[in-house]
Amino acid sequence: MKESFEKFTFITESGETLGTCSEISGWAEVREYEPEDEGMQVSTITLIDFVLNPSFAKYRNRTRVQLEALTIEVRNRAGQVLSELYVAPVGKIGWKQQEFEQGVRNLELKMAFAYVVSDSVRQVWSLWEDSLPIRKNAWMSLSADLQKGWLDAVRYLANRHTTGIGHSAKLFELDLQGVQDENTFFLALGEAVIGPAGYYGWDLLSLDDLLCCEPGLPTPFTLYTMNGQHEDMIDWRNIFPSEEQESARQLNDLFSKYGIRFVPLRRSKEV
């Protein structure tokens, strides 16, 4: 059994570290909307093995700061930040500072989350507990639900700027082996452009934004395809399921609009 580690770090608006904990329970509890926090998901969570930062205790005594907003950094054992969750405490925090200064304990908080962290995302974080993926297609053997969680998890990584758009490789290799719907397409596309756990859009709107405005990878560009169709212009309607035919049609239009070319990798090597 692996030893616990400081997986979650709580940071205040002013940049002070409040403390750390090894685990959080209550993610999946029923959430309710609070009138004063319209549009925010509210949940009661418990911080397991919470350790108060001694420096924060001194800072709080000096400034009497009120905790109105927090950032929760999620890290793996390698110290890589997997996500930053933005939350706001709801009501007063029921803690006594002297008790926390005496050692580790659990802390229950009622928090308003900017977005819901799904169970599938948390399972993917567990898969990344030792390190971020170093090889492509690690998501291929997962269930459809976990593939969606993987896509959300790499999107949270991208929002932290831990991945960059474009790289020095001469070829963007799009491996079509695991592509069978919209989610798996975006997983493969992110890895083609960035590498393992890469991100290049998670839906048609975000992809349109990147193709339109991302300076790191100006359009048009070429995607060299592997393990799939050998046409220069792929018809995604032949790959996506029947319920996603409209998305496939829009994807066809989007690539045509920005002049994205598809060249089978085998043919490119023969030329």
Side-chain angles (χ1 to χ4, degrees):
M1 184 175 180
K2 292 183 178 179
E3 294 182 359
S4 62
F5 65 103
E6 296 177 349
K7 185 175 182 179
F8 302 95
T9 301
F10 297 80
I11 302 172
T12 69
E13 278 187 301
S14 60
E16 295 286 330
T17 298
L18 169 64
T20 61
C21 72
S22 61
E23 195 52 79
I24 295 176
S25 66
W27 295 101
E29 298 299 323
V30 177
R31 295 172 172 84
E32 58 184 0
Y33 286 101
E34 295 289 330
E36 65 271 26
D37 294 294
E38 185 177 355
M40 299 286 278
Q41 292 278 358
V42 177
S43 181
T44 300
I45 60 176
T46 301
L47 315 186
I48 308 300
D49 295 337
F50 178 74
V51 179
L52 179 68
N53 177 21
S55 296
F56 176 80
K58 296 178 182 178
Y59 171 78
R60 183 173 182 268
N61 289 339
R62 185 175 70 252
T63 63
R64 298 299 176 185
V65 64
Q66 297 296 316
L67 298 179
E68 297 181 354
L70 292 171
T71 298
I72 306 176
E73 281 191 350
V74 186
R75 295 178 180 269
N76 60 17
R77 292 180 184 275
Q80 298 165 317
V81 179
L82 306 183
S83 185
E84 290 180 336
L85 309 176
Y86 301 100
V87 300
V90 176
K92 291 185 177 181
I93 298 178
W95 66 332
K96 295 181 180 179
Q97 184 169 306
Q98 289 182 346
E99 294 180 12
F100 287 98
E101 290 175 351
Q102 294 171 2
V104 177
R105 56 163 287 179
N106 298 342
L107 175 62
E108 185 177 279
L109 299 175
K110 192 173 185 181
M111 289 286 187
F113 285 78
Y115 55 84
V116 177
V117 181
S118 68
D119 180 63
S120 58
V121 168
R122 298 195 304 275
Q123 289 183 58
V124 171
W125 286 345
S126 295
L127 295 176
W128 297 349
E129 184 174 296
D130 291 321
S131 176
L132 285 169
I134 59 174
R135 293 182 178 84
K136 295 181 179 180
N137 294 332
W139 47 269
M140 276 183 50
S141 62
L142 302 179
S143 66
D145 184 58
L146 283 182
Q147 287 176 343
K148 177 60 169 65
W150 190 290
L151 182 58
D152 286 336
V154 298
R155 175 162 60 103
Y156 301 156
L157 272 176
N159 289 341
R160 289 201 65 263
H161 307 293
T162 54
T163 58
I165 300 298
H167 53 57
S168 59
K170 294 181 180 179
L171 301 180
F172 293 119
E173 299 179 3
L174 177 61
D175 190 346
L176 297 174
Q177 182 179 1
V179 177
Q180 56 188 351
D181 54 21
E182 188 174 350
N183 286 336
T184 51
F185 162 76
F186 280 107
L187 289 171
L189 181 63
E191 293 190 335
V193 175
I194 306 299
Y199 169 84
Y200 195 73
W202 67 281
D203 63 5
L204 293 168
L205 183 59
S206 62
L207 178 59
D208 196 1
D209 287 342
L210 286 166
L211 292 172
C212 169
C213 306
E214 174 52 54
L217 184 56
T219 57
F221 58 84
T222 299
L223 290 167
Y224 294 86
T225 59
M226 304 165 53
N227 300 317
Q229 296 181 173
H230 295 288
E231 291 82 14
D232 289 339
M233 193 59 201
I234 295 176
D235 189 341
W236 297 100
R237 292 173 296 183
N238 297 331
I239 299 176
F240 287 13
S242 57
E243 63 270 18
E244 294 185 1
Q245 287 299 290
E246 178 58 24
S247 293
R249 184 192 65 78
Q250 293 182 45
L251 189 59
N252 287 337
D253 293 343
L254 203 58
F255 282 135
S256 178
K257 172 184 175 182
Y258 290 102
I260 308 305
R261 296 181 63 238
F262 294 86
V263 175
L265 187 61
R266 183 176 60 187
R267 184 187 307 171
S268 71
K269 289 181 178 179
E270 292 172 350
V271 173

